[in-house]
Amino acid sequence: MPAVEVVDVSKRYGDVVALDGVILSVEEGEVFGLLGPNGAGKTTLMEIVAGLRTPDSGKVLVLGHDAAKEPEEIRRLVGFNPQETLLYDDLTGYENLEFVASLFSMSREEFKEKLKELTELLGLEELLKRRAGKLSGGQRRRLSLAASLLHTPSVIILDEPTVGLDPDARRDFWGFIERLRGEGRTLLISTHYMEEADELCDRVAIMDSGRVVTVGPPDELKAKYGGLSKVVVRVRMRQLGRALEVLKPFSPQPAPEGLEIATEDPQSLVPDVVSTLQSAGIHPESVEMRLPTLEDVFLNLTGKRLVEVVE
């Protein structure tokens, strides 16, 4: 039985189609990513899985339970961590978690035992004593994640969990996800950070305009849809025209990162490119190999750049 099964789900808000016939299956114990720009339908889909919204058509099953028809069971099975941290700023971290425990009718003993476990997992000790309104973005994320894990859910849903975090805090959060994976939890994560999806997810569904474009392991998607590797050459601006001319046999293309040369064998091409430039008196600032990314997959499948859409 899949942990989450999405069967032909559609949802509209007036004239806006948020989801259009989405079909997905998430296996138990896997980290499954929804990758796409804002407005792709990721949040709406997650809220339907969590039982917070009802689809116009189709259905969602969580461990065999209908998300729309069995809300209490879904509430027990699912831990949902939304984009906006749902914390009371005037309460301490401890008081926030104590309140969440009361919503699940946890006994004092159950709460203390789980709190000890989560404090060790997420490094909450200092956060428990401070008011939530005084915490940094990364600290609030950790506290919010603890709240979603307090009742030991089988399926954990994280909607854009690292938005607004600095790179160090984002890496720390990735470490927490890896620990949950190690416990055998099922995680459904939405993100528009391709590196995050690549790093964390066993499989990824690429979403655009309310539809699932493709599903698969990141490496398989890159191999199938990522296109050729690239050699990226950076030269000084005053030498750019000359570099384009001498590299013409390699068919370079101007790009924001520099001059890009598509190739099936970047490792063999780099020495030839460097030699050609140096023979013309051009000393490149850098020459890098760039393998296909999930950004390339998104571009090749949708005709749009993921980063540009997000911004």
Side-chain angles (χ1 to χ4, degrees):
M1 178 191 302
V4 177
E5 191 170 7
V6 180
V7 185
D8 200 20
V9 165
S10 294
K11 182 71 177 179
R12 297 177 67 98
Y13 300 106
D15 294 332
V16 177
V17 178
L19 297 173
D20 186 6
V22 172
I23 299 174
L24 282 178
S25 182
V26 180
E27 300 303 318
E28 283 195 71
E30 80 172 328
V31 179
F32 191 98
L34 302 177
L35 178 64
N38 295 333
K42 305 187 304 294
T43 295
T44 297
L45 178 58
M46 291 182 135
E47 290 176 345
I48 290 174
V49 173
L52 301 177
R53 293 187 186 275
T54 303
D56 296 334
S57 60
K59 64 180 178 179
V60 169
L61 302 176
V62 179
L63 294 171
H65 298 275
D66 192 307
K69 297 179 180 178
E70 303 175 75
E72 289 302 316
E73 192 64 24
I74 298 304
R75 186 166 165 263
R76 181 183 68 82
L77 291 171
V78 172
F80 181 54
N81 191 8
Q83 286 188 42
E84 298 298 327
T85 54
L86 302 180
L87 301 172
Y88 292 98
D89 287 347
D90 292 334
L91 298 182
T92 64
Y94 181 91
E95 291 167 340
N96 268 284
L97 296 181
E98 188 177 42
F99 172 70
V100 173
S102 70
L103 298 178
F104 289 96
S105 302
M106 296 176 68
S107 69
R108 174 63 55 179
E109 292 72 23
E110 288 174 326
F111 172 58
K112 286 185 175 181
E113 182 178 346
K114 192 63 181 178
L115 182 60
K116 180 180 178 182
E117 176 188 329
L118 290 173
T119 298
E120 293 175 358
L121 174 68
L122 299 173
L124 300 178
E125 189 169 357
E126 290 302 317
L127 310 188
L128 297 177
K129 307 170 187 176
R130 298 168 59 189
R131 295 189 186 279
K134 299 295 185 180
L135 300 178
S136 69
Q139 291 169 332
R140 290 176 66 88
R141 288 284 180 188
R142 274 191 280 161
L143 190 61
S144 182
L145 179 59
S148 66
L149 298 176
L150 200 57
H151 63 296
T152 317
S154 300
V155 177
I156 301 164
I157 300 176
L158 306 176
D159 189 7
E160 300 279 3
T162 61
V163 166
L165 300 188
D166 61 47
D168 288 339
R170 184 174 296 141
R171 285 282 180 182
D172 288 342
F173 207 90
W174 290 2
F176 305 145
I177 301 305
E178 289 298 339
R179 293 183 206 175
L180 294 172
R181 184 209 301 270
E183 295 177 1
R185 307 290 191 93
T186 302
L187 289 103
L188 180 61
I189 301 175
S190 72
T191 183
H192 59 249
Y193 297 123
M194 57 186 174
E195 182 187 6
E196 188 163 87
D198 214 345
E199 180 78 17
L200 295 178
C201 299
D202 299 304
R203 288 190 300 142
V204 170
I206 291 182
M207 295 187 67
D208 185 43
S209 303
R211 297 180 179 181
V212 173
V213 181
T214 190
V215 178
D219 286 346
E220 288 187 11
L221 295 181
K222 287 183 288 184
K224 188 174 183 179
Y225 301 111
L228 296 174
S229 298
K230 295 181 176 67
V231 171
V232 182
V233 181
R234 293 181 179 87
V235 298
R236 294 184 179 183
M237 184 61 66
R238 59 186 174 80
Q239 295 181 311
L240 184 59
R242 177 65 176 152
L244 275 169
E245 181 181 342
V246 300
L247 292 177
K248 193 172 182 180
F250 302 103
S251 301
Q253 296 294 323
E257 301 86 357
L259 299 178
E260 287 186 349
I261 302 172
T263 176
E264 293 181 355
D265 188 2
Q267 197 163 8
S268 298
L269 184 63
V270 167
D272 292 341
V273 168
V274 173
S275 175
T276 300
L277 289 171
Q278 290 179 340
S279 296
I282 300 171
H283 299 282
E285 294 181 334
S286 66
V287 179
E288 300 175 4
M289 293 182 294
R290 182 173 176 267
L291 301 178
T293 66
L294 288 173
E295 167 76 12
D296 296 316
V297 174
F298 188 85
L299 174 62
N300 291 335
L301 289 175
T302 68
K304 297 177 284 188
R305 285 192 176 274
L306 179 59
V307 175
E308 289 178 351
V309 174
V310 172
E311 295 174 349

